[in-house]
């Protein structure tokens, strides 16, 4: 991590339950303070910090207050605190972000940078996709020596069946009740995948462990607590795998779900000017290249070079990419009845859940 | 008529055409807009209905509970309006809220519509527009009946969508219409401009034809013009012809007058010179007598010429006025009677009718005086000049008859020419009297003719074609 001279980290434990933490990171202005930019985000702070630093160099008078939440928590806090809103909302839980925009909590913004986005990454000029996230499988290779690693969901199920005892309690995935992006990918699976039922049954019968974040899952993989992790965010996994060669990242070859990290400016934003500047910088060529190079995120613009880019993903023909489009069809994911039904199935299948 | 001064026909035509076109374009634009809105509403209402039906079909009752599995396809249908927000609510008609947005506006009408025959168990959709979440939203409500063993439960599906795509489509349709209309307008204006230019071109040609000619050129204009402008051209040509005739007459008259005055003046001069060198007193007296006679004749000629010029001017400027011809004749007879008696000639007026007439008093007196003086001049002592006025059918006839030598038939037509003198005529005269009389008669649309008197002499007859009715009866 970079020196913490300019960085003041305040950790606030807002809620006592797991994964409910709100962590406030404050970045002092580089020059004389002129304004404060409040951001709610789901991205891990160390990942997004290089981008904020570059922004501060451009606008030295801005103090950034970045509140980091879990994706679902982010959504709930936003609604609880409304009409007190941040100036910018960044999250990978597209469905929850779209739900907020659909319900009228966003303000429109048009600029050359937003106009340059592909149509499917811009809904109503109110919410903008800025990076991709493939949902991937990660496996600790050391724990499965000599085995052909699974390339898709069917092979993953086959692996679990063959090593049933070895993998019991060693499969990890998101706690979909708590993690928005986990719910999004899981519910998308439930509608897309032919193997969804068997997957659920298999995860349940092997006492899958549930995690609040990709980082926690990757740490558990490295620590040997789990052997297989399902539906993690690709950017974190690739970055982690570079440093921990025992971790193998798999883009499922039956299909790979692509979610987008999205940003919107709330209608009640106190400082929309800086929010728009940051959004423009986020979508600019320079900002996107920065996200690719320094944060290992997959930028949405096609003209960015590097390993973690959409074009690089697309070149990898083995995995058909299915990106979830921005728009009203994401409302199904947030529908109360559908959510109740999906969580009901989930809870029934996961016997080790300590149900309330 | 002063209102028309400075008014341009071209501009009037243009304004009228433009106004008409504009009114036409505006009303068609209005119609196109209404059509666009209707077309957009119909097509997006269909999408909304399709989505709502798909949702309604996925409602089930499981273990006594209403369960809905929202179909992805329904929302993908709605996503055909990609920029629009979607709101939905599924409520049991007993008030049990199932899922969606709990606070959507409801219209009273939404309940109890007829069944949709194509979709059994589903009512026909009811549409309504409401403001929701800060935007105008098009809502649809329909009800699905779910039969159970002992009862029928009803579930209401409410689906709303913001109207951005509808507005865009409507705007696009009317924008296309507007483009077409603008094109139509421009093309029509160009055609009309061309048409007006084409129609007015003959007038310009006529104008150029008139402008281009020299002031002396009074020949008829040879310009091709359409039927409507032909009368104007004819009138112009006739006018020029008249002008030409008048000018010719004037030229000839001037030339003749100069000649007629120069010749007697030369004679006068030579007579006076002869008298100057004449030694013999008696012969000098005779010669001087002749100078006086020539001077009289010259003075007579000059006064006739002047009177003719006066008359020509009067004819152009003076309108005809009502007068009584018989009174005029007696006046003139009285005037000349005295000098006639000096020659031993008697003037008798025999007329007994009243003839009112529209005419030029001065000119008619001049005419009569010329005729009378002529008659007296050629009469012998003791003769009588008889003047008569009679009514003929619709007109009146004036006759002046003398017992002088008369005019042979061969010369009757020539004596009306100016300055014509019969070669055998020994009496002095200007040769203008009869010509002037004839001009005056013509001006009054009267016919002047010469006849022989019995046993000898001349009768000058003036036949007035139309005269007024007799007001006071015969005198």
């Amino acid at each position: 991590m970079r020196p913490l001279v300019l960085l003041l980290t305040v950790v606030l434990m807002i809620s006592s339950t797991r994964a409910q933490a709100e962590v406030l990171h404050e970045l002092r202005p580089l020059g004389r303070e002129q304004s404060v930019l409040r951001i709610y985000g789901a991205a891990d702070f160390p990942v997004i910090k290089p981008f904020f630093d570059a922004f501060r160099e451009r606008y030295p008078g801005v103090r950034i207050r970045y509140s980091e939440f879990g994706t679902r928590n982010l959504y709930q806090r936003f609604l609880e605190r409304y009409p007190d809103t941040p100036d910018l909302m960044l999250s990978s839980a597209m469905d929850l972000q779209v739900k907020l925009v659909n319900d009228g909590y966003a303000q429109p913004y048009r600029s050359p940078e937003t106009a340059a986005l592909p149509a499917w990454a811009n809904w109503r000029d109110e919410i903008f996709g800025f990076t991709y996230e493939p949902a991937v499988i990660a496996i600790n290779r050391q724990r499965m020596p000599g085995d052909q690693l699974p390339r898709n969901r069917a092979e993953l199920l086959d692996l679990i069946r063959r090593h049933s005892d070895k993998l019991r309690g060693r499969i990890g995935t998101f706690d979909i009740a708590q993690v928005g992006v986990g719910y999004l990918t899981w519910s998308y699976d439930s509608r897309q995948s032919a193997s969804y039922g068997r997957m659920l049954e298999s995860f349940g019968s092997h006492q899958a462990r549930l995690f609040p974040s990709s980082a926690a899952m990757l740490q558990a993989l490295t620590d040997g607590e789990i052997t297989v992790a399902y539906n993690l965010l690709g950017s974190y996994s690739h970055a982690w795998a570079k440093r921990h060669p025992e971790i193998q990242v798999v883009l499922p070859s039956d299909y790979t779900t692509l979610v987008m990290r999205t940003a919107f400016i709330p209608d009640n934003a106190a400082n929309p000017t800086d929010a728009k500047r940051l959004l423009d910088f986020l979508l600019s060529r320079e900002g996107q290249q920065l996200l690719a190079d320094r944060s290992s995120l997959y930028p949405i613009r096609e003209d960015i070079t590097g390993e973690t880019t959409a074009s690089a993903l697309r070149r990898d023909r083995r995995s058909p990419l299915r990106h979830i489009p921005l728009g009203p069809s994401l409302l199904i994911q947030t529908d109360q009845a559908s959510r109740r039904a999906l969580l009901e199935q989930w809870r029934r299948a996961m016997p080790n859940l300590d149900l309330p | 008529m002063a209102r028309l001064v400075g008014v341009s026909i071209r501009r009037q035509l243009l304004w009228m055409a433009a106004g008409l076109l504009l009114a036409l374009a505006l009303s068609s634009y209005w119609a196109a807009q209404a059509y666009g809105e209707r077309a957009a509403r119909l097509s997006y209402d269909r999408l909304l209905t399709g989505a709502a039906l798909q949702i309604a079909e996925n409602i089930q009752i499981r273990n006594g509970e209403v369960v809905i599995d929202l179909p992805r396809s329904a929302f993908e249908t709605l996503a055909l309006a990609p920029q629009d927000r979607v709101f939905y609510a599924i409520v049991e008609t007993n008030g049990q809220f199932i899922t969606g947005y709990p606070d959507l506006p409801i219209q009273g009408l939404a309940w109890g519509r007829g069944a949709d025959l194509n979709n059994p168990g589903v009512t026909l959709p009811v549409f309504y527009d409401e403001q929701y979440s800060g935007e105008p939203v098009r809502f649809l409500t329909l009800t699905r009946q779910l039969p159970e063993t002992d009862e029928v439960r009803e579930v209401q599906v409410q689906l709303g969508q913001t109207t951005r795509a509808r507005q865009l489509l409507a705007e696009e349709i009317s924008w296309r219409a507007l483009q077409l209309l603008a094109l139509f307008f421009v093309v029509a204006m160009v055609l009309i401009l061309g048409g007006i230019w084409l129609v007015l071109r003959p007038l310009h040609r006529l104008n150029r034809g008139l402008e281009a000619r020299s002031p002396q050129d009074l020949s008829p204009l040879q310009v091709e013009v359409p039927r409507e402008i032909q009368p104007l051209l004819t009138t112009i040509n006739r006018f020029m012809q008249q002008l030409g005739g008048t000018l010719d007459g004037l030229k000839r008259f001037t030339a003749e007058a100069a000649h007629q005055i120069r010749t007697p003046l030369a004679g006068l001069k030579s007579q006076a010179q002869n008298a100057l060198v004449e030694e013999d007193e008696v012969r000098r007296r005779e010669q001087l007598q002749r100078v006086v006679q020539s001077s009289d004749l010259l003075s007579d000629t000059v006064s006739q010429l002047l009177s003719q010029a006066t008359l020509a001017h009067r004819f152009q400027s003076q309108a005809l006025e009502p007068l009584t011809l018989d009174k005029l004749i007696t006046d003139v007879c009285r005037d000349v009677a005295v000098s006639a008696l000096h020659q031993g000639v008697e003037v008798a007026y025999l007329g007994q009718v009243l003839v009112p007439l529209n005419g030029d008093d001065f000119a008619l007196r001049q005419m009569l005086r010329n005729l009378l003086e002529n008659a007296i001049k050629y009469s012998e002592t003791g003769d009588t000049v008889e003047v008569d006025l009679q009514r003929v059918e619709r007109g009146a006839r004036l006759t002046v008859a003398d017992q002088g030598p008369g005019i042979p038939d061969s010369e009757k037509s020539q004596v009306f020419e100016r300055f014509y003198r019969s070669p055998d005529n020994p009496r002095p005269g200007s040769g203008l009297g009869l010509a002037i009389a004839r001009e005056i008669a013509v001006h009054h649309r009267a016919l002047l003719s010469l006849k022989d008197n019995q046993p000898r002499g001349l009768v000058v007859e003036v036949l007035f074609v139309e005269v007024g009715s007799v007001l006071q009866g015969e005198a």
Side-chain angles (χ1 to χ4, degrees), chain A residues 99 101-104 122-126 188 191-192 324-325 327-329 331-338 340, chain B residues 68-72 75-76 78-79 81-88 97-102 133 135 162 164:
Chain A
K99 167 81 171 155
V101 172
N102 190 66
D103 293 0
N122 173 355
W123 190 46
R124 295 172 59 80
D125 291 322
E126 290 177 1
Y188 193 72
R191 288 168 189 277
Q192 295 288 321
I324 304 177
S329 55
L331 291 178
I332 300 174
Q333 256 79 343
T334 57
D335 177 66
Q336 305 98 300
S338 304
R340 263 201 311 273
Chain B
I68 166 73
D69 182 22
L70 282 181
R72 188 174 185 79
F75 283 83
E76 273 160 3
L78 291 174
Q83 298 299 309
D84 278 309
R85 293 152 65 191
V86 171
F87 311 101
Y88 64 95
F97 178 76
I98 297 162
T99 191
Y101 291 72
S133 184
E135 258 189 278
T162 52
R164 210 180 267 190

Side-chain angles (χ1 to χ4, degrees), chain A residues 11-64:
Chain A
V11 178
L12 294 170
M13 300 302 287
I14 300 276
S15 161
S16 57
T17 53
R18 64 206 155 131
Q20 297 285 309
E22 172 183 358
V23 185
L24 176 65
H25 306 274
E26 192 142 349
L27 290 167
R28 281 197 195 132
L30 295 178
R32 210 160 59 79
E33 175 165 332
Q34 282 162 338
S35 56
V36 178
L37 179 59
R38 294 169 64 207
I39 302 171
Y40 285 4
D44 290 350
F45 182 67
V47 171
I48 197 79
K49 184 173 177 292
F51 172 77
F52 286 155
D53 287 339
F55 179 74
R56 282 192 307 161
E57 273 165 36
R58 286 196 158 197
Y59 301 98
V62 181
R63 173 186 290 272
I64 295 178

Side-chain angles (χ1 to χ4, degrees), chain B residues 420-439:
Chain B
Y420 176 81
R421 305 275 298 140
S422 170
D424 313 325
N425 191 348
R427 321 241 165 174
S430 62
L432 277 170
L434 271 178
I436 292 173
R438 166 101 144 199
E439 269 179 45

Side-chain angles (χ1 to χ4, degrees), chain B residues 59-62 64-68 90 92 98 146 153 155:
Chain B
I59 302 172
Q60 293 169 347
I61 294 181
R62 214 179 285 154
E65 219 179 304
V66 176
V67 183
I68 166 73
I90 294 156
E92 230 181 309
I98 297 162
L146 296 161
R153 291 169 75 169
V155 178

